[in-house]
Amino acid sequence: GAVVSQHPSRVICKSGTSVKIECRSLDFQATTMFWYRQFPKQSLMLMATSNEGSKATYEQGVEKDKFLINHASLTLSTLTVTSAHPEDSSFYICSARVDRRDYGYTFGSGTRLTVV
Amino acid sequence: SQKIEQNSEALNIQEGKTATLTCNYTNYSPAYLQWYRQDPGRGPVFLLLIRENEKEKRKERLKVTFDTTLKQSLFHITASQPADSATYLCALDDMRFGAGTRLTVKP
């Protein structure tokens, strides 16, 4: 149980276009999801906290107009990278928590975004 | 602001030995701390969660300790195997992660 499905796993897009990444909790409801980006050989950098039915909370330095997060249901959160540029190329990962004592967070498999 | 540090970027050990990884944090009092494993190109996988009122927690060959006075958690893998080679990440309860320690277990 506790699976988070993330799509697409890889995407290549042209500079200036937008890309949407989806994360779905398959067998549980996720009121909160977290979005991260990870550069090669670096750790996970928290971008934003996505809350179902309300606006996302962005970390300092993350442009909310560039990284649009929508959490319209208890099982789906999306991250849209708008007007992507090569410097946005990274590994994007989402996570959600199962409401079970002493259980951590379940992560999606990640999306490798390459902007050319 | 709080800071979370994993002191070793990389750790190499021989198969069968115990690997010990360190996680330190400052300017924060987490209700719990977590440890994850991440393989290249994959999302992290949850391993263990330890609460502030717990000193130690075990799961199979894994052991985690939590010292709120030292603001430190230690993560141990006993009888290590080459399959344990991965990056291990600690995270506070606010889901911020340390930089990770890349563990390599040599046969």
Side-chain angles (χ1 to χ4, degrees):
Chain A
V3 175
V4 173
S5 176
Q6 183 170 347
H7 292 282
S9 57
R10 290 178 180 273
V11 58
I12 300 173
C13 71
K14 290 186 178 180
S15 191
T17 62
S18 296
V19 173
K20 180 185 282 189
I21 301 169
E22 289 190 352
C23 270
R24 293 181 185 273
S25 55
L26 296 187
D27 47 4
F28 67 101
Q29 293 183 331
T31 54
T32 301
M33 281 194 178
F34 295 90
W35 286 93
Y36 298 84
R37 65 188 299 181
Q38 186 174 36
F39 292 107
K41 298 191 186 300
Q42 294 188 25
S43 189
L44 297 162
M45 295 300 297
L46 180 63
M47 297 176 67
T49 303
S50 161
N51 297 297
E52 186 268 334
S54 64
K55 290 185 178 180
T57 302
Y58 291 82
E59 294 297 300
Q60 192 172 6
V62 177
E63 299 175 59
K64 62 181 181 181
D65 294 331
K66 181 169 186 61
F67 299 100
L68 299 179
I69 291 173
N70 184 282
H71 195 155
S73 77
L74 287 172
T75 58
L76 174 65
S77 177
T78 60
L79 167 67
T80 301
V81 184
T82 62
S83 188
H85 291 287
E87 58 266 30
D88 298 324
S89 299
S90 188
F91 191 54
Y92 293 86
I93 319 177
C94 63
S95 74
R97 186 170 183 273
V98 178
D99 189 15
R100 195 186 307 164
R101 183 173 174 82
D102 290 351
Y103 203 87
Y105 286 73
T106 299
F107 281 79
S109 53
T111 297
R112 173 74 59 195
L113 170 64
T114 303
V115 185
V116 297
Chain B
S1 60
Q2 82 258 39
K3 196 173 179 182
I4 182 167
E5 289 183 340
Q6 292 183 251
N7 295 350
S8 299
E9 185 177 324
L11 178 65
N12 299 317
I13 63 168
Q14 208 65 34
E15 182 176 7
K17 301 292 184 184
T18 296
T20 298
L21 285 63
T22 305
C23 178
N24 294 288
Y25 59 92
T26 58
N27 299 325
Y28 195 63
S29 296
Y32 57 84
L33 190 145
Q34 310 162 75
W35 284 89
Y36 291 79
R37 168 184 173 142
Q38 186 176 26
D39 291 286
R42 310 289 293 272
V45 174
F46 169 72
L47 297 174
L48 280 168
L49 181 153
I50 186 165
R51 297 186 178 277
E52 60 179 341
N53 60 346
E54 298 174 317
K55 297 287 187 193
E56 179 181 299
K57 184 167 277 189
R58 293 174 185 260
K59 178 183 175 184
E60 297 173 355
R61 294 184 295 111
L62 309 180
K63 184 178 85 171
V64 172
T65 64
F66 193 7
D67 189 324
T68 55
T69 301
L70 292 178
K71 293 187 181 293
Q72 180 181 82
S73 176
L74 299 179
F75 176 79
H76 306 272
I77 305 176
T78 58
S80 60
Q81 305 165 1
D84 295 326
S85 298
T87 296
Y88 291 86
L89 303 160
C90 65
L92 302 176
D93 58 1
D94 63 356
M95 288 308 288
R96 285 180 172 79
F97 282 79
T101 296
R102 188 173 64 255
L103 174 67
T104 303
V105 181
K106 303 192 178 209

Short mmCIF file of all heavy atoms in Angstrom, two decimals, chain B residues 1 16-17 20 26-27 30 35 37 41 53 59 68 78 80 82 87-89 99:
data_model
loop_
_atom_site.label_atom_id
_atom_site.label_comp_id
_atom_site.label_asym_id
_atom_site.label_seq_id
_atom_site.Cartn_x
_atom_site.Cartn_y
_atom_site.Cartn_z
N SER B 1 17.36 30.26 11.10
CA SER B 1 16.57 29.19 10.51
C SER B 1 17.25 27.86 10.83
O SER B 1 18.44 27.80 11.13
CB SER B 1 16.47 29.36 9.01
OG SER B 1 17.74 29.34 8.43
N GLY B 16 29.85 -6.80 5.76
CA GLY B 16 29.83 -7.44 7.07
C GLY B 16 30.04 -6.49 8.23
O GLY B 16 29.68 -6.80 9.36
N LYS B 17 30.61 -5.34 7.95
CA LYS B 17 30.84 -4.35 9.00
C LYS B 17 29.57 -3.53 9.24
O LYS B 17 28.61 -3.60 8.49
CB LYS B 17 31.98 -3.39 8.59
CG LYS B 17 33.30 -4.09 8.34
CD LYS B 17 33.87 -4.66 9.62
CE LYS B 17 35.25 -5.26 9.35
NZ LYS B 17 35.81 -5.91 10.55
N THR B 20 27.79 3.45 10.15
CA THR B 20 27.18 4.43 11.05
C THR B 20 27.16 5.78 10.36
O THR B 20 28.20 6.31 9.99
CB THR B 20 27.94 4.53 12.38
OG1 THR B 20 27.90 3.24 13.04
CG2 THR B 20 27.30 5.57 13.28
N THR B 26 20.27 22.00 13.84
CA THR B 26 20.41 23.16 14.73
C THR B 26 19.17 24.04 14.63
O THR B 26 18.42 23.98 13.65
CB THR B 26 21.64 24.00 14.34
OG1 THR B 26 21.52 24.41 12.98
CG2 THR B 26 22.93 23.23 14.54
N ASN B 27 18.98 24.85 15.65
CA ASN B 27 17.90 25.86 15.67
C ASN B 27 16.53 25.26 15.45
O ASN B 27 15.68 25.87 14.79
CB ASN B 27 18.16 26.93 14.61
CG ASN B 27 19.47 27.66 14.85
OD1 ASN B 27 19.87 27.88 15.99
ND2 ASN B 27 20.14 28.02 13.79
N PRO B 30 12.63 19.11 16.48
CA PRO B 30 11.66 18.31 15.74
C PRO B 30 10.92 17.34 16.65
O PRO B 30 11.48 16.83 17.61
CB PRO B 30 12.52 17.55 14.72
CG PRO B 30 13.86 17.46 15.38
CD PRO B 30 14.02 18.72 16.17
N TRP B 35 14.57 8.68 8.44
CA TRP B 35 15.68 8.25 7.58
C TRP B 35 15.11 7.59 6.33
O TRP B 35 14.14 6.80 6.40
CB TRP B 35 16.59 7.26 8.32
CG TRP B 35 17.48 7.95 9.31
CD1 TRP B 35 17.21 8.22 10.61
CD2 TRP B 35 18.79 8.46 9.05
NE1 TRP B 35 18.27 8.87 11.20
CE2 TRP B 35 19.26 9.03 10.26
CE3 TRP B 35 19.63 8.50 7.93
CZ2 TRP B 35 20.52 9.63 10.38
CZ3 TRP B 35 20.87 9.09 8.04
CH2 TRP B 35 21.31 9.64 9.26
N ARG B 37 16.22 5.99 2.21
CA ARG B 37 17.24 5.49 1.29
C ARG B 37 16.87 5.96 -0.10
O ARG B 37 15.71 5.91 -0.51
CB ARG B 37 17.26 3.97 1.34
CG ARG B 37 18.08 3.34 0.22
CD ARG B 37 18.01 1.86 0.21
NE ARG B 37 18.69 1.34 -0.98
CZ ARG B 37 19.43 0.24 -1.01
NH1 ARG B 37 19.61 -0.48 0.10
NH2 ARG B 37 20.01 -0.15 -2.14
N GLY B 41 18.48 8.01 -9.53
CA GLY B 41 17.35 8.15 -10.45
C GLY B 41 16.02 7.74 -9.88
O GLY B 41 15.04 7.66 -10.62
N ASN B 53 10.73 11.45 21.98
CA ASN B 53 10.76 10.78 23.28
C ASN B 53 11.28 9.35 23.19
O ASN B 53 11.24 8.59 24.17
CB ASN B 53 9.36 10.76 23.91
CG ASN B 53 8.33 10.04 23.05
OD1 ASN B 53 8.59 9.76 21.88
ND2 ASN B 53 7.19 9.73 23.63
N LYS B 59 14.86 -1.88 13.19
CA LYS B 59 14.08 -2.59 12.18
C LYS B 59 15.05 -3.49 11.43
O LYS B 59 15.89 -3.01 10.66
CB LYS B 59 13.42 -1.60 11.22
CG LYS B 59 12.62 -2.25 10.10
CD LYS B 59 12.06 -1.17 9.17
CE LYS B 59 11.37 -1.79 7.97
NZ LYS B 59 10.90 -0.72 7.03
N THR B 68 18.16 14.29 21.66
CA THR B 68 17.64 15.65 21.52
C THR B 68 18.54 16.68 22.21
O THR B 68 18.47 17.86 21.87
CB THR B 68 16.21 15.75 22.06
OG1 THR B 68 16.20 15.28 23.41
CG2 THR B 68 15.26 14.92 21.22
N THR B 78 23.80 -2.83 10.43
CA THR B 78 24.69 -3.91 10.87
C THR B 78 24.79 -4.97 9.77
O THR B 78 23.91 -5.08 8.92
CB THR B 78 24.17 -4.55 12.16
OG1 THR B 78 22.85 -5.05 11.92
CG2 THR B 78 24.11 -3.54 13.29
N SER B 80 26.51 -5.21 7.09
CA SER B 80 26.22 -4.54 5.82
C SER B 80 26.50 -5.44 4.62
O SER B 80 27.36 -6.32 4.65
CB SER B 80 27.05 -3.26 5.72
OG SER B 80 28.41 -3.57 5.78
N PRO B 82 26.61 -5.47 0.07
CA PRO B 82 26.73 -4.60 -1.11
C PRO B 82 25.39 -4.01 -1.54
O PRO B 82 25.35 -2.88 -2.03
CB PRO B 82 27.31 -5.54 -2.16
CG PRO B 82 28.13 -6.50 -1.38
CD PRO B 82 27.34 -6.73 -0.10
N THR B 87 22.36 6.13 -1.25
CA THR B 87 22.46 7.38 -0.49
C THR B 87 21.39 7.37 0.59
O THR B 87 20.23 7.04 0.33
CB THR B 87 22.26 8.60 -1.42
OG1 THR B 87 23.34 8.64 -2.36
CG2 THR B 87 22.28 9.89 -0.60
N TYR B 88 21.80 7.70 1.79
CA TYR B 88 20.89 7.71 2.93
C TYR B 88 20.67 9.16 3.37
O TYR B 88 21.62 9.92 3.56
CB TYR B 88 21.44 6.85 4.07
CG TYR B 88 21.43 5.39 3.69
CD1 TYR B 88 22.49 4.83 2.99
CD2 TYR B 88 20.34 4.58 4.00
CE1 TYR B 88 22.46 3.49 2.61
CE2 TYR B 88 20.30 3.25 3.63
CZ TYR B 88 21.38 2.72 2.92
OH TYR B 88 21.34 1.39 2.54
N LEU B 89 19.41 9.49 3.53
CA LEU B 89 19.01 10.86 3.82
C LEU B 89 18.27 10.91 5.15
O LEU B 89 17.45 10.04 5.44
CB LEU B 89 18.06 11.39 2.74
CG LEU B 89 18.57 11.35 1.30
CD1 LEU B 89 17.40 11.43 0.33
CD2 LEU B 89 19.51 12.51 1.06
N ALA B 99 21.86 16.66 3.29
CA ALA B 99 22.48 16.49 1.97
C ALA B 99 22.65 15.03 1.59
O ALA B 99 22.86 14.71 0.42
CB ALA B 99 23.82 17.21 1.94
#
